[in-house]
Amino acid sequence: MANIKSAKKRIKVIETKTARNRSIKSAVKTYSKKVIVAIESGNKDLATQNLKVAIKAIDQACAKGIYHKNTAARKKSTLVRLVNQIA
């Protein structure tokens, strides 16, 4: 455990930021899962609606520095490709 006051504060700040990052990553995964479930059921309209929400969440996570820009682009590309494969 840290003895210096500033180090103790850094530990608290890091815990707060870690909780926020974990929450946002979890939300992105949930939105992505909703897109995939809609794709598996064959519902293109629902998939495209959920895709918009998922892309927005991924972009926000990227803007906050939670995801690297290439990671965000890869996740969006994968979801768009899957939605476009629906007949």
Side-chain angles (χ1 to χ4, degrees):
M1 187 66 196
N3 292 325
I4 299 169
K5 188 175 182 181
S6 61
K8 290 178 182 177
K9 180 181 178 182
R10 293 308 309 159
I11 291 170
K12 287 182 183 179
V13 169
I14 289 169
E15 286 176 356
T16 304
K17 288 183 178 184
T18 301
R20 186 195 80 177
N21 294 348
R22 194 176 293 147
S23 170
I24 293 172
K25 279 187 177 182
S26 176
V28 168
K29 289 177 188 175
T30 301
Y31 295 135
S32 298
K33 180 75 173 180
K34 286 182 180 181
V35 173
I36 292 170
V37 168
I39 290 168
E40 289 173 351
S41 68
N43 191 345
K44 187 162 185 165
D45 292 333
L46 182 62
T48 53
Q49 288 175 352
N50 290 339
L51 178 65
K52 287 181 183 179
V53 175
I55 286 177
K56 183 176 180 182
I58 292 169
D59 284 338
Q60 287 175 339
C62 181
K64 292 180 181 179
I66 296 167
Y67 284 128
H68 187 271
K69 64 177 184 168
N70 292 352
T71 303
R74 185 180 67 243
K75 288 180 181 295
K76 291 190 293 185
S77 173
T78 303
L79 291 175
V80 169
R81 186 170 36 83
L82 290 173
V83 170
N84 288 338
Q85 287 177 352
I86 298 175

